[in-house]
Amino acid sequence: ETGVTQSPTHLIKTRGQQVTLRCSSQSGHNTVSWYQQALGQGPQFIFQYYREEENGRGNFPPRFSGLQFPNYSSELNVNALELDDSALYLCASSPPGTELDTQYFGPGTRLTVL
Amino acid sequence: KQEVTQIPAALSVPEGENLVLNCSFTDSAIYNLQWFRQDPGKGLTSLLLIQSSQREQTSGRLNASLDKSSGRSTLYIAASQPGDSATYLCAVVTGNQFYFGTGTSLTVIP
């Protein structure tokens, strides 16, 4: 059984560009959550997807958007990148019925905005 | 809005010491509390989960307690080892969201 994987590992973009980050959830997991972790900070909840629908959102602007696909993999899209978007982006998947208890985290994508 | 604070921000101890990490939260209406470990540049690994109706959980050398009424949790690590060096994060679930603290960076010196 493979764990949660994320791609790419690292990414460098410039201000104003758009970026797409990808997450493959663990087999059988139907809930995916995305977090932003700035350097020296704890993860901040961006949003959660359950069976292809957004199922909760943190305090992030609309330029942060997401998708979940029928195979439960997910994308995080960020438009009009800003310098403050530089962070480690983590996704986490949860088995059915456990999304408030159990999250398996991927290794993250390190995004640098210049 | 739920706010989670962790003290201290960093801690350095010699191998073999017992230590306590602290976590406090402002809204006592939590569903559960978890302690995670994060190694540099890596994702998070869950260590202990305490449901809101529980007072403590134990796993090996780790013991976590929860006092919901006072908004506090502690993580006790017994007989620390160099392999315990990492950042330790606590998180509470309120509503349907996880709220994380800023973490305690632990260094165990051989």
Side-chain angles (χ1 to χ4, degrees), chain A residues 35 37 40-45 48 55-58 88 90 99-103 105-108 110, chain B residues 1 31-32 34 36 38 41-46 49 51 89 93 95-103:
Chain A
Y35 296 85
Q37 186 177 23
Q41 302 296 314
Q44 299 289 316
F45 175 72
Q48 181 183 86
N55 185 43
R57 189 179 183 93
L88 181 68
L90 297 164
E99 56 275 1
L100 295 182
D101 289 336
T102 306
Q103 294 201 342
F105 282 82
R110 173 72 64 185
Chain B
K1 182 179 178 257
Y31 180 78
N32 64 39
Q34 292 190 54
F36 290 86
Q38 185 173 30
K42 302 288 182 63
L44 281 62
T45 301
S46 180
L49 164 67
Q51 299 291 354
L89 295 152
V93 174
N96 67 343
Q97 289 193 28
F98 279 70
Y99 294 88
F100 282 85
T102 53

